[in-house]
Amino acid sequence: MRQLVVGVGDGEISQDPDSMLVTYALGSCVAVMFYDPLIAVAGMVHYMLPDSSMSSEKSHVRPWMFADTGISLLLRAVLDRGADQRRLMISAAGGAKVMDDTGLFDIGKRNCVALRKTLWKFGLVPQTEETGGTEARTVRMEVGSGKIWLQTAGQEPKEITPHPQKSRRVPV
């Protein structure tokens, strides 16, 4: 299986059923994954910071770097490939508290709040979420099946694949 590595502050979309999206070492960063099971389009963003207003110049050059611009870009990209927002299976991982013992910056927590706020703006919620804590995570997502595995250091990978029947819409 071909691995498509999603680097820090980057995103990737694929419809190649023989590919796997993977991102490594999610500390305070967050990975958001979208999957449409009907047409097998998968997308992943690995964002670093919660809000592009922190650096409007950088957000124009590296929009995947921020929760608000990166998640919006990811959603637009999967929809442009034919995904239907009502079918999207959404997962998120990361947002740990690492190298900030005092909690002074708390980027992980702020990234998790930005995740929910940005998805809510589109009427979406994650079906599976492995966020917070103090350990870095690696996430892999099979494009052909939509299966997602999460792994922390020294642990076996565990599957966190969402189920299509769970609600993905914010109640109105």
Side-chain angles (χ1 to χ4, degrees), residues 36-109:
D36 183 326
L38 187 64
I39 64 168
V41 63
M44 179 187 290
V45 61
H46 178 149
Y47 67 83
M48 300 168 59
L49 296 167
D51 189 351
S52 62
S53 68
M54 299 170 89
S55 175
S56 61
E57 181 181 310
K58 198 170 269 190
S59 71
H60 292 296
V61 178
R62 298 197 55 207
W64 295 104
M65 187 177 188
F66 302 93
D68 58 342
T69 52
I71 293 171
S72 298
L73 187 58
L74 181 66
L75 179 59
R76 192 169 336 122
V78 296
L79 294 177
D80 286 349
R81 296 262 182 116
D84 184 321
Q85 187 167 324
R86 294 168 297 188
R87 289 191 306 256
L88 285 180
M89 296 168 37
I90 303 165
S91 298
K97 183 178 179 180
V98 294
M99 301 186 312
D100 184 19
D101 294 335
T102 63
L104 180 63
F105 300 106
D106 220 351
I107 296 295
K109 185 175 187 176

Side-chain angles (χ1 to χ4, degrees), residues 23 25-33 44-47 90-96 108 111-112 115 126 128-132 135-140 148-151 160:
T23 195
L26 287 163
S28 60
C29 296
V30 172
V32 178
M33 293 142 284
M44 179 187 290
V45 61
H46 178 149
Y47 67 83
I90 303 165
S91 298
N111 276 339
C112 291
L115 161 75
T128 58
E129 188 176 337
E130 293 282 337
T131 56
E135 294 185 322
R137 301 163 171 100
T138 292
V139 181
R140 292 175 171 80
I148 300 170
W149 290 273
L150 178 119
Q151 187 171 13
I160 63 164

Side-chain angles (χ1 to χ4, degrees), residues 1-5 14-22 24 35 42 139-149:
M1 185 164 285
R2 186 171 76 110
Q3 286 197 12
L4 303 171
V5 177
S14 179
Q15 287 182 284
D16 176 1
D18 296 322
S19 292
M20 179 177 288
L21 301 175
V22 60
Y24 298 99
Y35 185 73
V139 181
R140 292 175 171 80
M141 178 182 196
E142 281 185 6
V143 174
S145 69
K147 289 184 180 180
I148 300 170
W149 290 273

